[in-house]
Amino acid sequence: MTTDVTSAARKTMAKLHRAPEPDVLKPMIERARLDASERKRIVTRAEHLIGDIREAQHRSWVAQFLNEYQLSSQEGLALMTLAEAYLRVPDATTADLLISDKLGDADWRSHSRSSNSRLVNSATFGLILGRVMVGEGEGGGGVVRKLVGRMGEPFVRQAVGAAMRLMGEVFVMGRTIEEAQKRMRKKENRNFTASFDMLGEAARTQKDADDFYESYWDAIDKVGREPDRDHTVSIKLSALHARYETSQYDKCVPEITERLTQLCREAMRQDVAITVDAEEADRLDMSLDIIGAIARNPEFRDWNRYGLAVQAYGKRARAVIEWADTLGRPMNVRLVKGAYWDTEIKRAQVEGLSDYPVFTRKASTDTCYLACAKDMLEAKNIGPAFATHNALTVGTILEWAAERHGKDWRGFEFQRLHGMGEGLYDRLVDEEGYHCRIYAPVGGHKELLAYLVRRLLENGANSSFVNQLADDEYDDAALLADPVEKTAKVGGSMLPQIPLPIDIMGEWKNSQGIDLNDRDTLLDTARKVNAVDFQPEGIDSVHEDPHHPSGRSRAFIEATRTSNDDVHGAITAAQAAYPEWDLRPVEERAGLLEKFADVLEENRIELMGLVVKEAFRSIPDALSEVREAADFCRYYAHRARVDMPSIRLPGPTGEYNAMKLEGRGTFATVSPWNFPLAIFVGQNAAALVTGNTVVAKPAPQTPMIARRIVELAHQCGIPHDAWKLVTGGADVGAELMSDTRIAGVAFTGSIATAKRIASTLLVDEERPIIPFIAETGGINAMIVDSTALPEQVAADVMTSAFRSAGQRCSALRMLILQEDVADEMLAMLSGAMDMLYLGDPGDPATDVGPVIDRDAYDKLMSYRETMRPRWIKTVEAPEEGLFVPPTMISIDEIEDLNREWFGPLVHVTTFKAGKLKETVQRVNAKRYGLTMGLHSRIQKSADIMQTWARVGNLYVNRSQIGAVVGSQPFGGEGLSGTGPKAGGPHYLPRFCAERAVSIDTTSAGGNASLLSLDTGEI
Ligand SMILES: Cc1cc2nc3c(=O)[nH]c(=O)nc-3n(C[C@H](O)[C@H](O)[C@H](O)COP(=O)(O)OP(=O)(O)OC[C@H]3O[C@@H](n4cnc5c(N)ncnc54)[C@H](O)[C@@H]3O)c2cc1C
């Protein structure tokens, strides 16, 4: 398959993807700038259009409703979350909880008479009624409550349900394609054409993808039967495959290409035009490969009803248009600004990427849109469609189209979304003969929810034109300010409130990521990581079978073991190094850690290679190991500067009181194989920066990574004897703990080992009582109620339970589903499990690698076997290698799981609606307390969890692994650990001795400063 990477436009695209905004925008400003007379005509035109929109809004209760409930108001947000979840809730108990949650606190009364529209007011009244009914009413509601009480709660549910459906209908053309086609025949739509879109979240299972494919096929078929209407179909590639991801390129791109080819073949046969929607920036390269493959397929050479959407908020937008034009065949291009702006910004921050793929100022997006529009109007092969609800944008396009092609030129179309931009195009279409197409979503109520949220966001965001139009604070001059001049004025610079991803942490630098969603970068990274040499000198083989990670050879562990004498020797050396290291200024130690963080990042490929080869972590996991290690160093350096300096304390006159933190001596650290780099670095960095020296014992399975880390630390200037390494298994650990010179212990591992260490530390009566920081495992639960979005749950369960083959202490062990939605959720989870790829950790496609060693494998497999009658779902695993197949196991109740199974096995049970608190308490009763998760749209449920969950880390509506240093300090309580939390503000003091000093400053002969206080002045 041709990937088209060689084309010049694709190369430009790669350069622009994360380029600095001013560089990207400079040529666009030149391209889009207006002269004074042009600008004047455009503004006049836009003013008329604004007048038309305002008039239409007077007629539209929807516009008034959205205006009344702005997203910036509490009520607007409440409505949005209610709308997002309500229609998928099957059970009455949760529906009532959700209504009470969303309608309870907001101030609906302030809206009850404020609107001119009777319908808006009656909708508001309905919402107030709902609030009173569910028992949240304030004084005066009692009468109403009694009244409607007689009608029963179902009445309220029905009323709220109807209101939500009404909101849905505003943005959705019909539940079925037939319904939508019928609606397009109505008077108000008569002069518009439609592009039908099949609603739904991106496919998560093969079944989803098959269903979407069928519905697109059906839509093409039905549209084809109305040839005189010229409707078209829009297709989302993410709907055609459950794993439309760069890491799965080799599978998903050919499969989607094949499916799109079939759909296009049918569309060509039926003479129906197809547009491929634009999705997340990460997917752009793949989508161009797919779109390009069809464009170049000789079968479609003469077909001029094919095209794609291009997002102007993306830095690559112009290059994509150039690419489409250079395909050398007719291509229809729909220019949009882009619907995922907030997601793109967050993703780049989370992944620590060098820059954003999108602009950070709204005016920059507008400038890019205009530059793209100009390109499109002049392009040879492009059929332009301009999708916007912005009157100024429309006015500019009208001006340029006329300028370039003559006043009567109509060789392009406008597009708007159903439910938006009403009034903007009416005159243009009805009186001036321009063509406007309505993007017309089709789907049932459940499917519309995610789409509805996007639309409500678009209507509600302060930056959007439709929102500003409705806002009295913006007059026409502000609405029509020239975006190109605004952009030029700031030189295309970034919005100051949005720092680069590396700067988001403020006081310390965020770690650098690698853009693994860029295919070239991913392949290049994988190649380099796999080429890392991993063959320790003097040892024949690290693994029993070098081709398959089938377990570590005993010889390797023996050969890397430190002798008992050397263990004690290491402590002697570290003790000797302590006074000098502790006396160094904290700034110097912090500076060394920061240097070390930089060096870790400089050597990240090699380190990732070691993690992949020694610990069988996947490539993304290995990257996050390096990032977390660097984060620990920088964060602890920052915290040390805050925590360590002496603080003055109050007291009587003539006394100096102060306290400071200092190192305690030599710490012993014991780290696990499952985070061979991050935890190893984290524990030791904390000990070192606080002035301790340290003897570190990594897990026997991963000594090579540790060895390399310590080597790098020494190269950075951390003294050799300040950080000593000893390697080996439990016997070496015991030897280390038995040495009474140890001043503190930081341990991560099993609860059994933690207890053994704790008792060793207490046995010897002569021995001082020293700090013991322990991180142990957990029976981590995730609770999912019926308001949760199944697609999101599926993604988060896959990540939480199976990433790193379930070998994270935070991993999901017990999924607790509300019984009303359990079957539906399990079907989706099973489908998502089928899409997991098990393989060599060095393969970029791998989701789940082998477990760490044969011991772990045997234990997990034999337990899994005993649970065979209770398997809900399992998947096939490669035959060779220590692969434990991800498995869902049913248990009758929460009490049936009482130990941690450290692998990709997740237990599933159910709970009853309305019993969240009891459920949490039953989980608490296990006395583990590491992580817990909740998926719910009910804020009060999140509050209940925050009040009652006895865990160190609670995660709501997200996965429950991957704690970020400084943002989600990590560590448990009860059987899960002692705290303080790693990566949190209280960690360092635990490594320190607190030393207070009090000095009588008068003892030298009187309190001179007291006597000098009163100078006699009044
Ligand atoms: C027919 C049609 C089809 C569509 N198809 C797609 C599609 O395939 N893919 C897709 O992603 N979207 C699609 N959209 C949605 C589209 O992206 C939004 O409707 C559009 O961005 C709104 O722009 P506007 O010109 O109407 O409004 P405006 O108010 O002028 O622009 C709002 C837009 O500006 C951008 N923006 C907001 N704040 C900032 C900021 N701080 N920095 C930079 N940019 C900012 C965002 O893109 C936001 O949506 C489609 C829209 C229509 C009308």
Side-chain angles (χ1 to χ4, degrees), residues 278 311 337-339 341 360-362 365 388-390 458 464-465:
Q311 295 154 325
K337 285 178 193 165
W341 182 80
T360 54
R361 290 183 198 260
K362 163 75 165 61
T365 293
T388 175
H389 313 115
N390 183 322
E458 193 171 327
S464 89
F465 182 84

Side-chain angles (χ1 to χ4, degrees), residues 600-638:
L600 290 175
E601 288 185 332
E602 283 159 24
N603 290 277
R604 66 182 170 190
I605 291 290
E606 182 203 344
L607 295 173
M608 286 167 67
L610 294 180
V611 173
V612 167
K613 294 187 177 188
E614 194 174 38
F616 312 146
R617 283 280 174 127
S618 67
I619 290 173
D621 279 355
L623 172 61
S624 61
E625 279 277 277
V626 181
R627 290 195 62 200
E628 194 176 345
D631 283 337
F632 273 131
C633 293
R634 295 190 179 116
Y635 179 69
Y636 291 148
H638 157 69

